Amino acid sequence: MNIEIVGTPPFPIQRSQTILNAAIENNVPIFHTCGGKGDCTTCRVVVIEGSENLSPSSDREEWLRERGRLPLNVRLACQTQQTKGSAKVQRIIRDDDDVGFYLGAQSIDAESEIGSERMLSLFFIDIKDFTPFSEQSLAFDVVHVLRRLFRLFYDAIGYYKGDVIETNGDGLYAVFGLDGTNTIQSASNAVKAGFRILDELRRQNQTYFKPFFNYLFEAGIGIHSGKVIVGNIYSCSKDITSVMGYNVSIASRLQSITRTLNNNFIISKDVFHALEFNTEYSTRVVNLKGVRESLDVYLLGMPFVNSSTGKPAGH
């Protein structure tokens, strides 16, 4: 029996061998970060000819197919044996451009480098009503204030072992749990970081922003916990960690409704139930844009204030 991987001469394969093991024996490189366990799926191959000569899909492959992650003509080289005849396959990761994402100076041996699913706590924060301040202030003042505010955010997030993933104008997105802490601890760290930010923001409003800029800054925070996709995206020779998925959208939407619910700190039921609170908090059932089902949320914060009077908004 023999098998051909596009771009290399055909080579022999034994009946009991996987495509991956046969390739390794014949010095044909197939990327396989997880060591042939079927976890990373980097050894995927497209079957071009001879699918009838390959072993049935493994349990792992069937699991991936049921979730729409493995097309019928794609197999895992670490899971697939050849039972007879010949076959021809093509590697998904097959050329210098592809391999450059995972090998060499850019590569770190970690699942996050090639994409993995993780349970994380997702943290969104936005500075409210910053546009009016920026429109009436000098450019230097606007940038200086943003630096002060973002340093406050970064310090609190870093103190509780969070990682800032992205900044966008007057807001940012962070995650908790990338360091391997469990879901309960990451949720607790995210909530603690939120309270720390709001407490410090209140202090700086009174001691710095109000006296020097005649302005009180407010922030809205939304936190949700759930399964996300984590991976590194290499852009312009920079190593950028990306965290994405449906649950990220939920966390973002929670932050976006802080103004609607007039509360500066909102968390999902998933976060609340992961923690033990000694205080009773108000709850709401909300419908979020782009989210399929209604969501129970908990209001941990305070109403927003008027930026000039310091009184609750509307007073």
Side-chain angles (χ1 to χ4, degrees):
M1 295 190 303
N2 63 74
I3 185 167
E4 178 183 350
I5 294 180
V6 174
T8 67
F11 55 88
I13 182 172
Q14 303 301 317
R15 191 177 302 274
S16 60
Q17 276 187 311
T18 63
I19 295 175
L20 176 61
N21 286 338
I24 292 172
E25 276 193 7
N26 287 273
N27 298 315
V28 177
I30 294 183
F31 197 60
H32 56 290
T33 297
C34 71
K37 301 174 185 177
D39 291 334
C40 69
T41 75
T42 54
C43 69
R44 284 173 294 168
V45 293
V46 179
V47 180
I48 298 174
E49 297 174 4
S51 60
E52 70 279 5
N53 297 332
L54 303 178
S55 60
S57 295
S58 66
D59 290 343
R60 176 62 176 169
E61 289 175 308
E62 286 298 328
W63 186 89
L64 290 167
R65 292 194 206 287
E66 288 172 2
R67 286 152 181 79
R69 301 178 186 178
L70 201 67
L72 290 174
N73 65 333
V74 175
R75 300 294 304 270
L76 300 183
C78 70
Q79 305 283 300
T80 306
Q81 300 175 359
Q82 192 165 317
T83 58
K84 59 182 178 179
S86 62
K88 184 177 181 180
V89 300
Q90 184 169 4
R91 292 164 290 189
I92 298 289
I93 299 174
R94 62 185 185 275
D95 58 28
D96 290 341
D97 288 338
D98 285 341
V99 174
F101 289 135
Y102 306 100
L103 298 177
Q106 291 179 325
S107 177
I108 299 174
D109 291 329
E111 278 192 352
S112 63
E113 293 299 303
I114 52 89
S116 62
E117 289 187 334
R118 302 278 298 275
M119 288 293 296
L120 301 177
S121 292
L122 316 162
F123 181 106
F124 279 81
I125 184 169
D126 181 73
I127 304 167
K128 298 300 182 183
D129 298 329
F130 191 77
T131 301
F133 173 79
S134 64
E135 289 177 344
Q136 66 190 32
S137 302
L138 298 173
F140 174 85
D141 291 348
V142 173
V143 174
H144 176 71
V145 165
L146 275 177
R147 287 176 174 171
R148 293 274 304 211
L149 290 169
F150 272 79
R151 185 173 67 184
L152 187 163
F153 300 162
Y154 270 82
D155 286 350
I157 290 166
Y159 184 84
Y160 287 105
K161 301 180 180 179
D163 294 273
V164 174
I165 301 299
E166 183 179 292
T167 61
N168 182 19
D170 50 13
L172 65 76
Y173 160 40
V175 299
F176 293 77
L178 280 180
D179 61 346
T181 53
N182 61 43
T183 305
I184 294 175
Q185 188 59 55
S186 70
S188 175
N189 286 345
V191 170
K192 289 176 180 177
F195 280 129
R196 185 185 181 102
I197 286 172
L198 294 177
D199 287 344
E200 180 62 17
L201 183 55
R202 281 190 287 269
R203 188 187 70 79
Q204 290 203 27
N205 271 332
Q206 298 305 319
T207 62
Y208 187 78
F209 294 126
K210 184 65 175 178
F212 291 99
F213 297 95
N214 195 32
Y215 209 85
L216 297 173
F217 293 96
E218 289 278 274
I221 298 171
I223 303 176
H224 176 59
S225 293
K227 186 177 290 186
V228 294
I229 297 170
V230 180
N232 277 8
I233 299 174
Y234 299 105
S235 176
C236 301
S237 301
K238 292 183 179 180
D239 186 1
I240 302 172
T241 298
S242 181
V243 180
M244 64 200 87
Y246 180 65
N247 287 306
V248 175
S249 297
I250 292 178
S252 175
R253 298 300 184 193
L254 289 180
Q255 186 284 126
S256 70
I257 65 167
T258 53
R259 177 66 79 185
T260 303
L261 297 183
N262 194 26
N263 193 279
N264 61 9
F265 197 174
I266 297 176
I267 66 173
S268 69
K269 179 174 65 175
D270 299 79
V271 176
F272 190 86
H273 286 180
L275 308 176
E276 293 183 1
F277 285 95
N278 297 320
T279 305
E280 291 292 329
Y281 290 102
S282 298
T283 63
R284 298 286 190 277
V285 178
V286 298
N287 293 299
L288 303 175
K289 183 179 179 181
V291 177
R292 294 184 290 267
E293 299 177 351
S294 298
L295 197 70
D296 294 327
V297 300
Y298 289 78
L299 281 55
L300 305 191
M302 302 290 291
F304 290 100
V305 301
N306 184 290
S307 60
S308 57
T309 66
K311 296 180 179 180
H315 289 71

